[in-house]
Structures are given as C-alpha cells and as structure tokens.
Amino acid sequence: MPLPKNGSARRHSLIDTKAMTTEIRVRIAPSPTGYLHVGTARTALFNYLYAQGHNGKFILRIEDTDLERSQEVYTKNIFESLKALGLQWDEGPDVGGEYGPYAQSERLPIYREWAEKLVETGHAYYCYHTQAELDAEREQAQAEKRAYIYSGSCRDVAFREALAQRPADDGSQRKPSLRFHIPQDRGTLTFNDLVRGEVSFDMALIGDFVIIKSDGTPSYNFAVVIDDMLMKISHVIRGEDHISNTPRQIVVYEALGATPPQFAHVGMILAPDRTKLSKRHGAVAVSDYIKQGYLPEAFCNFIALLGWSPPDSEEIGTLEHFAKQFELERITHSPAIFEKDKLNFINGKLIRTMSLERLLSVAKPYLHDFDLSQYSAEKLHMMLDAVREPITVLNELPDAVNYFFGQKVILDAQLVGEVLTGAEPAQVLERFRDGFLANADFSAPEALAAELKEFINSLKPIKTKTIMWSIRAAVTGRTHGADLSKTLYILDQDVVCQRVETALALTTGSPA
Ligand code: GLU
C-alpha cells in the first residue's frame, strides 16, 4: 500500500460549497466487537459536534456483519457509553429513522441487491478461489518479496467456470465470493481529505477486493459504501486507520454512479510512549473510565481536545460551547497523545466547581459502603465540599470521607507516636473535652469556628499546630483533611466526644 501523499493546495476547498447545498449527515459506525473504545468515542464526538454545529444529523449505525466477533453485550455497552457521554444520535437502531435499518446484520438483502447490480454492470465478478489457495498465493508473493495483490484470474470467465467445477481441498463444492473489479486503467486515485488535503493512491497496487464473502456477508468496504450512500451521509469523519480503505470505497461509488461523501481522516490517538493506545497503557473502554469516576462531561471535554482545539483557546467547555466552534479544518492529522494528567486535571476541576447537589448525586455510587442516611443533605453537601479540593477521580472519595462514618476511627501506632504522644497532646485533648466540648455550640460550623479560635488562644503558649493536629488526629485519625470546625459540626458532639475519649486513653500514661 503506498503512503498517502499529502498536499495542501485543495485543502478544505469543498467544505463551504457542499455545506451550502447538502444537509450535513454524519455517522458513527462502530463494530460491536468490544466495549466502546476511547478512539471510537473521540470519532463519535467529532461527528456529533460537527452535526450539532451545522444543523445536521448524527447517525448511529452498528456494523455487526462479523457474526462471530459481534456480541450483544458490546452493542449495549456502545449505546450506554455514547449516551453517558451525551452523544445522542438522531437516527439509529433503537430510535429508527428514514434510512433504516441501522444495524448491518439487518441489511444483508440490501447488500446482495447492490452487489448484483455491480455484477450486471461488469464491476464485480465471482471468485472461486478457496482461502487455502489465496493463502498459498500470498505466501508465494512473500517468498518472492513482492507485495501481494490478488491475481485477478477469476475475471476470466472460462478460467472461473473451470475452477468452479473443481472440488475444494476438503472435497466440498466451492462457494464463491464476489470481488470488485478495479478498472485496469484507473491509474492514480486522488481525493481531497478535509483534514489531510490531497491524498493519492496508485490503484494498480490495490487488487480486486472482496465485496461479498463466500458466506454471503458483505465486506466492510462494500457495506460501508452502500450504507453511507443510502443513508445520504455527507461527511465521513473517521480515524486515519481507515484512509487506505478510502480508495476502495471511492471506486465502488464510481461504479454505482454515486457521488462519494467528503472524507475527513483524523489523526490517531497514541499513548505517551507514542505507540498505539492499548490495554497495556490502562483502560481503553469509555465505560471503564466512567466506572473509575471520570465524569462523562470531563471525559468528553478531554477527548474533544485529542486532535482538535477550540479557536477561542478555552479548553474547558461544554459540548454546546464546542459545537458552536467546531470546524473540520481545526482537526490535526498528527497523532494526539492521551495524557492522563490532563484528563485528571479536567476531572478534578469539574469536581471542584460543580454544584453540591450534582456532586452528591454523582458521588453516591462510590459511597455505597457508607450509611449516608445518617446525615442531612446539608451535612452531606458540606462534607463533600470540605473534601473535594484534592480529589481528581470520584473513586478517591470513599477514602476521603471515611472518617465521617462509624463511631470510631482507627488511631494507628504511627499517628499515636507522632502526634498524640506526650504531655502537650494529652493536655490539649483534656482541655478540649472539659473546656470546649462541654460548652460548644454545635448548631452551626461558624459558631464552632469562632469558639475553636478562642480555645486555641486560651491554650497559649502551646502552638496552634500542636493543638490542631492533636484534635484532628483524635477526631479523624489523620493529620490532614477537611476543615476542622466543619468536621466537628458534621460529626456532631457525641461522636466527637467519644473519639476524643478514645484518643485520650491512648495519650494518658504516655511519657511526658
Ligand atoms: N466499523 C468501522 C470501525 O469501527 C467503521 C469505519 C468507518 O467509519 O468507516 O472502524
């Protein structure tokens, strides 16, 4: 396969004229052979944004003709993940539409019908070679160090008919596939890619390819053309890994007398080590990220920036905001690097700035081990607000709020040794119990904050840090955490008293 040639002369020249005359109809066409991949989600998002920003339609088509590898569980995951990301489609297998059905497995007779038309017009022919024979041809080419191209011998009617009569290696009758006949004089095929500019392929190097397999199912390159044509797709926006399929698809359009859609091939997403993003680098399924506690809108925001940048340079934004600014010419053809730190940054920022009502609702699934019903919504909001600052992913929440639940906290030996041992901590906690807790006003955190300040002053010359650490360690089992007066308020008097008692028992008798 020749490397596509890049050129910029005619780059984007077709965008405006086409946009004026044609309704924008774009699609995402995942194969349900795995959970929705980050790369497919990014492609879906770009299609969605383009449709949204141009008053167009976003279509979901399920490419499930690989019957062995396609699974219902993956289709379900694709639906759910796209929906979670907010990428609702206008037409698709579940919502229907004017150009359905939208699952390829339900369109088999359509492919057959169009394939027959190609046979009738001499653009396709039956091929009776068995897989074993084709493999042998390929091996021979490899041994001779030449690129393998199907010989095209079944184009010849007499040869084909003779071959059809010969039994296959296992004695069975040969089942033909249908191949597209690439015109001998097709020469160089050039198309204008809206991201990469002019791309050319030498068609002499592309062999006649299968359009209907011997089991009757269509090949990807054929089904995709029939579907994009019949579904009136105006723009095919997809990953660069499909660029070498594009000339095969264009010649099928030509043979059918149809105008191809415009193509926009987006650079790949690579891992930081610049290799293909794979499980080796961590999760690749969108649902895994959501499960870990990445907010769908943060994830969407992050993938929008993988290969595209908003003209206003405002990198944090909503889908609506991005859709208004989304143009294909701002997509880069160089690879985008999946930088998890950036995803964490966006997610953390969203967690810190979202409303507390929303935070509580997205946090709940991560806090199922805790009895949230013991607290009012006001206290739960305050708790989340008090701990959210350092959180980047929601699955860090259980650890962050742990000490708000249960009567006791664990005071480990290191904490006791470092913070609670000695005369001063014992004195602080005693005075805290007898002076502060006995009289404090637990009705509002502000009241507690003011009283705490007074209490600290009253203990001089003991250092503020020693006082705060001793109380915090006793009450939370940690040296860092949420604002102390809010923590006391949320926990309430009884629990605080009990925890201080427990800590005091550990300090009493400690060496002074
Ligand atoms: N089913 C193909 C894929 O998932 C679709 C490619 C295309 O958009 O044409 O990669």
Short mmCIF file of all heavy atoms in Angstrom, two decimals, residues 27-33 40 43 47 61-64 104 220-221 224-225 228 236-239 241-242 245-246 249 263 265, ligand 1:
data_model
loop_
_atom_site.label_atom_id
_atom_site.label_comp_id
_atom_site.label_asym_id
_atom_site.label_seq_id
_atom_site.Cartn_x
_atom_site.Cartn_y
_atom_site.Cartn_z
N ARG A 27 -22.05 10.14 10.60
CA ARG A 27 -22.39 8.91 11.32
C ARG A 27 -21.21 8.40 12.12
O ARG A 27 -20.04 8.68 11.82
CB ARG A 27 -22.91 7.86 10.35
CG ARG A 27 -21.93 6.98 9.57
CD ARG A 27 -20.79 7.63 8.91
NE ARG A 27 -20.04 6.83 7.99
CZ ARG A 27 -18.87 6.20 8.27
NH1 ARG A 27 -18.33 6.30 9.44
NH2 ARG A 27 -18.26 5.49 7.34
N ILE A 28 -21.53 7.61 13.14
CA ILE A 28 -20.51 6.80 13.80
C ILE A 28 -20.94 5.37 13.54
O ILE A 28 -22.12 5.04 13.67
CB ILE A 28 -20.37 7.13 15.31
CG1 ILE A 28 -19.26 6.32 15.95
CG2 ILE A 28 -21.67 6.92 16.08
CD1 ILE A 28 -17.87 6.73 15.53
N ALA A 29 -19.97 4.55 13.15
CA ALA A 29 -20.35 3.20 12.70
C ALA A 29 -19.52 2.13 13.43
O ALA A 29 -18.72 1.44 12.82
CB ALA A 29 -20.14 3.11 11.19
N PRO A 30 -19.70 2.02 14.73
CA PRO A 30 -18.87 1.07 15.47
C PRO A 30 -19.22 -0.40 15.20
O PRO A 30 -20.36 -0.72 14.90
CB PRO A 30 -19.15 1.41 16.94
CG PRO A 30 -20.46 2.11 16.94
CD PRO A 30 -20.65 2.73 15.60
N SER A 31 -18.21 -1.22 15.29
CA SER A 31 -18.42 -2.67 15.21
C SER A 31 -18.53 -3.18 16.65
O SER A 31 -17.64 -2.88 17.45
CB SER A 31 -17.24 -3.35 14.53
OG SER A 31 -17.06 -2.78 13.26
N PRO A 32 -19.57 -3.92 16.97
CA PRO A 32 -19.73 -4.36 18.37
C PRO A 32 -18.85 -5.56 18.69
O PRO A 32 -19.33 -6.63 19.06
CB PRO A 32 -21.22 -4.67 18.47
CG PRO A 32 -21.62 -5.04 17.08
CD PRO A 32 -20.71 -4.33 16.13
N THR A 33 -17.56 -5.40 18.52
CA THR A 33 -16.63 -6.49 18.80
C THR A 33 -15.81 -6.18 20.05
O THR A 33 -14.83 -6.85 20.35
CB THR A 33 -15.68 -6.72 17.60
OG1 THR A 33 -15.07 -5.46 17.28
CG2 THR A 33 -16.43 -7.21 16.38
N THR A 40 -12.95 5.41 19.26
CA THR A 40 -14.27 5.47 18.62
C THR A 40 -15.10 6.57 19.27
O THR A 40 -15.85 7.27 18.59
CB THR A 40 -14.99 4.10 18.76
OG1 THR A 40 -14.06 3.08 18.42
CG2 THR A 40 -16.20 4.02 17.86
N THR A 43 -14.05 9.79 17.77
CA THR A 43 -14.62 9.93 16.43
C THR A 43 -16.11 10.28 16.52
O THR A 43 -16.60 11.15 15.79
CB THR A 43 -14.44 8.62 15.63
OG1 THR A 43 -13.05 8.30 15.62
CG2 THR A 43 -14.94 8.75 14.22
N ASN A 47 -17.97 13.74 15.12
CA ASN A 47 -19.14 13.69 14.24
C ASN A 47 -20.32 14.43 14.88
O ASN A 47 -21.02 15.21 14.23
CB ASN A 47 -19.53 12.24 13.95
CG ASN A 47 -18.69 11.64 12.82
OD1 ASN A 47 -18.95 11.90 11.65
ND2 ASN A 47 -17.68 10.87 13.17
N ARG A 61 -24.81 3.78 13.40
CA ARG A 61 -25.00 2.55 12.62
C ARG A 61 -24.15 1.47 13.27
O ARG A 61 -22.96 1.70 13.54
CB ARG A 61 -24.57 2.79 11.18
CG ARG A 61 -24.79 1.57 10.30
CD ARG A 61 -24.56 1.89 8.85
NE ARG A 61 -23.16 2.08 8.51
CZ ARG A 61 -22.68 3.10 7.81
NH1 ARG A 61 -23.49 4.06 7.37
NH2 ARG A 61 -21.40 3.19 7.54
N ILE A 62 -24.73 0.33 13.51
CA ILE A 62 -23.96 -0.75 14.13
C ILE A 62 -23.47 -1.69 13.02
O ILE A 62 -24.26 -2.24 12.27
CB ILE A 62 -24.84 -1.51 15.17
CG1 ILE A 62 -25.21 -0.56 16.33
CG2 ILE A 62 -24.16 -2.76 15.68
CD1 ILE A 62 -24.05 -0.13 17.21
N GLU A 63 -22.16 -1.81 12.92
CA GLU A 63 -21.56 -2.62 11.85
C GLU A 63 -21.26 -4.02 12.39
O GLU A 63 -20.15 -4.33 12.81
CB GLU A 63 -20.32 -1.91 11.29
CG GLU A 63 -20.70 -0.53 10.74
CD GLU A 63 -19.82 -0.02 9.62
OE1 GLU A 63 -18.62 -0.33 9.61
OE2 GLU A 63 -20.34 0.71 8.76
N ASP A 64 -22.31 -4.83 12.41
CA ASP A 64 -22.24 -6.13 13.07
C ASP A 64 -22.28 -7.28 12.07
O ASP A 64 -22.91 -8.31 12.34
CB ASP A 64 -23.40 -6.26 14.08
CG ASP A 64 -24.75 -6.03 13.42
OD1 ASP A 64 -24.79 -5.63 12.25
OD2 ASP A 64 -25.78 -6.26 14.08
N GLN A 104 -26.20 -3.41 10.47
CA GLN A 104 -25.86 -4.04 9.19
C GLN A 104 -26.39 -5.46 9.07
O GLN A 104 -26.74 -5.90 7.98
CB GLN A 104 -24.35 -4.00 8.98
CG GLN A 104 -23.85 -2.59 8.67
CD GLN A 104 -22.41 -2.55 8.21
OE1 GLN A 104 -21.61 -3.39 8.61
NE2 GLN A 104 -22.06 -1.58 7.40
N TYR A 220 -16.49 -5.13 4.84
CA TYR A 220 -16.62 -3.78 5.39
C TYR A 220 -16.63 -2.73 4.29
O TYR A 220 -17.48 -1.84 4.25
CB TYR A 220 -15.48 -3.52 6.40
CG TYR A 220 -15.18 -2.05 6.55
CD1 TYR A 220 -16.09 -1.22 7.20
CD2 TYR A 220 -14.01 -1.48 6.01
CE1 TYR A 220 -15.85 0.15 7.30
CE2 TYR A 220 -13.77 -0.13 6.12
CZ TYR A 220 -14.69 0.69 6.76
OH TYR A 220 -14.46 2.03 6.85
N ASN A 221 -15.65 -2.81 3.37
CA ASN A 221 -15.50 -1.78 2.34
C ASN A 221 -16.72 -1.66 1.43
O ASN A 221 -16.96 -0.61 0.86
CB ASN A 221 -14.25 -2.04 1.50
CG ASN A 221 -13.02 -1.47 2.16
OD1 ASN A 221 -13.05 -0.35 2.66
ND2 ASN A 221 -11.94 -2.25 2.19
N VAL A 224 -20.03 -0.48 3.89
CA VAL A 224 -19.92 0.90 4.35
C VAL A 224 -20.34 1.87 3.23
O VAL A 224 -20.99 2.88 3.47
CB VAL A 224 -18.48 1.17 4.87
CG1 VAL A 224 -17.50 1.42 3.76
CG2 VAL A 224 -18.45 2.33 5.84
N VAL A 225 -20.00 1.52 2.00
CA VAL A 225 -20.36 2.39 0.87
C VAL A 225 -21.88 2.36 0.64
O VAL A 225 -22.52 3.41 0.50
CB VAL A 225 -19.62 1.95 -0.42
CG1 VAL A 225 -20.19 2.67 -1.64
CG2 VAL A 225 -18.14 2.21 -0.29
N ASP A 228 -23.49 4.26 3.57
CA ASP A 228 -23.26 5.70 3.55
C ASP A 228 -24.03 6.34 2.38
O ASP A 228 -24.57 7.43 2.49
CB ASP A 228 -21.76 6.02 3.45
CG ASP A 228 -21.04 5.76 4.77
OD1 ASP A 228 -21.72 5.69 5.81
OD2 ASP A 228 -19.79 5.64 4.77
N VAL A 236 -17.78 11.72 5.93
CA VAL A 236 -17.29 10.57 6.68
C VAL A 236 -16.10 11.06 7.51
O VAL A 236 -15.04 11.35 6.97
CB VAL A 236 -16.89 9.42 5.74
CG1 VAL A 236 -16.10 8.36 6.47
CG2 VAL A 236 -18.13 8.81 5.09
N ILE A 237 -16.33 11.21 8.78
CA ILE A 237 -15.26 11.65 9.68
C ILE A 237 -14.86 10.42 10.49
O ILE A 237 -15.69 9.86 11.22
CB ILE A 237 -15.77 12.77 10.64
CG1 ILE A 237 -16.42 13.90 9.83
CG2 ILE A 237 -14.65 13.28 11.53
CD1 ILE A 237 -17.25 14.88 10.67
N ARG A 238 -13.63 9.97 10.33
CA ARG A 238 -13.24 8.73 11.00
C ARG A 238 -11.72 8.71 11.20
O ARG A 238 -11.00 9.60 10.74
CB ARG A 238 -13.67 7.51 10.18
CG ARG A 238 -13.02 7.46 8.82
CD ARG A 238 -13.56 6.29 7.99
NE ARG A 238 -13.11 6.37 6.62
CZ ARG A 238 -13.65 5.71 5.61
NH1 ARG A 238 -14.67 4.91 5.82
NH2 ARG A 238 -13.18 5.83 4.39
N GLY A 239 -11.26 7.67 11.88
CA GLY A 239 -9.84 7.56 12.20
C GLY A 239 -8.99 7.34 10.95
O GLY A 239 -9.44 6.74 9.97
N ASP A 241 -6.76 5.35 10.49
CA ASP A 241 -6.50 3.94 10.17
C ASP A 241 -7.36 3.47 9.00
O ASP A 241 -7.10 2.42 8.43
CB ASP A 241 -6.69 3.04 11.41
CG ASP A 241 -7.99 3.30 12.15
OD1 ASP A 241 -8.55 4.41 12.02
OD2 ASP A 241 -8.46 2.40 12.87
N HIS A 242 -8.39 4.25 8.65
CA HIS A 242 -9.25 3.85 7.53
C HIS A 242 -8.86 4.51 6.21
O HIS A 242 -9.53 4.30 5.21
CB HIS A 242 -10.72 4.17 7.85
CG HIS A 242 -11.30 3.18 8.81
ND1 HIS A 242 -11.55 1.88 8.47
CD2 HIS A 242 -11.65 3.29 10.11
CE1 HIS A 242 -12.04 1.23 9.50
NE2 HIS A 242 -12.11 2.07 10.52
N ASN A 245 -8.54 2.41 3.21
CA ASN A 245 -9.79 1.82 2.71
C ASN A 245 -10.52 2.76 1.77
O ASN A 245 -11.33 2.33 0.95
CB ASN A 245 -10.73 1.51 3.89
CG ASN A 245 -10.24 0.33 4.70
OD1 ASN A 245 -9.80 -0.66 4.13
ND2 ASN A 245 -10.31 0.43 6.01
N THR A 246 -10.21 4.04 1.91
CA THR A 246 -10.99 5.05 1.18
C THR A 246 -10.94 4.88 -0.34
O THR A 246 -11.98 4.96 -1.00
CB THR A 246 -10.56 6.46 1.64
OG1 THR A 246 -10.63 6.47 3.07
CG2 THR A 246 -11.46 7.54 1.08
N GLN A 249 -13.32 2.34 -1.39
CA GLN A 249 -14.71 2.78 -1.26
C GLN A 249 -15.08 3.75 -2.39
O GLN A 249 -16.16 3.66 -2.96
CB GLN A 249 -14.91 3.41 0.13
CG GLN A 249 -14.72 2.35 1.23
CD GLN A 249 -14.67 2.91 2.64
OE1 GLN A 249 -15.05 4.04 2.90
NE2 GLN A 249 -14.20 2.08 3.57
N PHE A 263 -14.50 13.18 2.83
CA PHE A 263 -13.79 12.39 3.84
C PHE A 263 -12.94 13.29 4.71
O PHE A 263 -12.32 14.25 4.23
CB PHE A 263 -12.91 11.33 3.17
CG PHE A 263 -13.70 10.28 2.45
CD1 PHE A 263 -13.93 10.36 1.09
CD2 PHE A 263 -14.24 9.21 3.17
CE1 PHE A 263 -14.68 9.39 0.42
CE2 PHE A 263 -15.00 8.24 2.50
CZ PHE A 263 -15.21 8.33 1.14
N HIS A 265 -10.12 12.38 7.66
CA HIS A 265 -9.45 11.34 8.46
C HIS A 265 -8.65 11.99 9.58
O HIS A 265 -7.73 12.77 9.33
CB HIS A 265 -8.58 10.46 7.56
CG HIS A 265 -9.39 9.54 6.70
ND1 HIS A 265 -9.74 9.86 5.40
CD2 HIS A 265 -9.96 8.33 6.96
CE1 HIS A 265 -10.48 8.87 4.89
NE2 HIS A 265 -10.62 7.93 5.83
N1 GLU B 1 -16.91 -0.29 11.59
C1 GLU B 1 -15.79 0.54 11.27
C2 GLU B 1 -14.96 0.75 12.52
O1 GLU B 1 -15.48 0.56 13.61
C3 GLU B 1 -16.28 1.85 10.71
C4 GLU B 1 -15.27 2.62 9.99
C5 GLU B 1 -15.86 3.81 9.25
O2 GLU B 1 -16.22 4.77 9.95
O3 GLU B 1 -15.98 3.75 8.05
O4 GLU B 1 -13.80 1.06 12.46
#
